[in-house]
Amino acid sequence: MARRKLIAGNWKMNCLSADGQALAAGLAAKMKAAGAARFDMAICPPFPLLSTVLAAVAGSAIAVGGQDCHAKEKGAFTGDTSAWMLKDLGCAYVIVGHSERRTYHKESDADIKAKAQAALAAGLKPIVCIGETLEERDAGQTLEVNRRQLHGSLPDGTTADKVVIAYEPVWAIGTGRTATPAQAQEVHAMIRAELVGRLGDGEGNALRILYGGSMNPGNAAELLAQTDIDGGLIGGAALKVDDFWTLAEHSPR
Ligand code: 13P
């Protein structure tokens, strides 16, 4: 089954407005020059830059997403941002359950599922992140941990056009240590089988599973060539126009 690749940039807590504007505008110019790109592209800047970035990519095929959302629509939650606010601004995606949120904000699978559920209710596509730590991998628990996180975090009503999954091994994030294509494919194949079991053949085979963790222009081609790797969630290499664009261009024809 041919799934269109999704190349998503997670800017994390980087960029002031001038850098963010230039980065988004540079990518929008590349996208427009490319005409019909053979991949989808999304960028997820920090909240304060969303309006600037949305304006910079307006009229291009680049989608914009938030990096997190609250599970509730509104209320007394100082410092939080709702999925409805992101949708209202013009976002199409929101990342939920990134390992940095799981670690630094103690988010559980249930928290992440509630956030993903809110994203769906607001009309956003959640990019639901899962991934094992190095200790879990070394203990031989990789598949079990990812299976548990997958089923615990995936929202009810998941369909292929509404939800994206990102497998991000924690030990590969920001470390320069990428999963080998075979290591990544092994986990992606397990996720695919679980999705088919849960959603049926059609939806399970159509849902996109991204890889994230030290993906860069040098290793993207091999990763993106794997059967069940349907794109990337990119941190460091998403912060430079040429790196991110070159990486995306490694999407197979
Ligand atoms: P790096 O690409 O910097 O390793 O980050 C990956 C990531 O966490 C994307 O969400």
Side-chain angles (χ1 to χ4, degrees), residues 18 21 45 108 153 195:
Q21 204 281 336
S108 67
S153 310
L195 290 174

Side-chain angles (χ1 to χ4, degrees), residues 96-185:
V96 293
H98 192 280
S99 68
E100 287 148 19
R101 303 290 313 177
R102 289 178 185 263
T103 303
Y104 303 134
H105 297 267
K106 306 280 180 284
E107 292 185 9
S108 67
D109 289 336
D111 294 332
I112 292 152
K113 178 176 176 178
K115 290 177 178 210
Q117 212 71 63
L120 285 185
L124 290 176
K125 295 180 190 183
I127 301 175
V128 180
C129 302
I130 61 174
E132 82 286 357
T133 62
L134 188 57
E135 295 69 39
E136 289 163 339
R137 175 163 282 270
D138 288 345
Q141 297 166 348
T142 297
L143 296 181
E144 171 195 334
V145 166
N146 282 288
R147 192 179 291 115
R148 187 178 70 229
Q149 290 185 2
L150 176 73
H151 289 296
S153 310
L154 216 52
D156 301 332
T158 292
T159 55
D161 60 337
K162 289 193 188 135
V163 174
V164 176
I165 292 164
Y167 166 57
E168 299 205 306
V170 178
W171 48 272
I173 296 178
T175 57
R177 191 178 154 193
T178 321
T180 64
Q183 283 175 323
Q185 171 57 26

Side-chain angles (χ1 to χ4, degrees), residues 10 12 95 98 100 168 172-175 212-215 233-237:
N10 174 8
K12 308 192 179 185
I95 299 169
H98 192 280
E100 287 148 19
E168 299 205 306
I173 296 178
T175 57
S214 298
M215 199 162 168
L233 183 57
I234 293 102

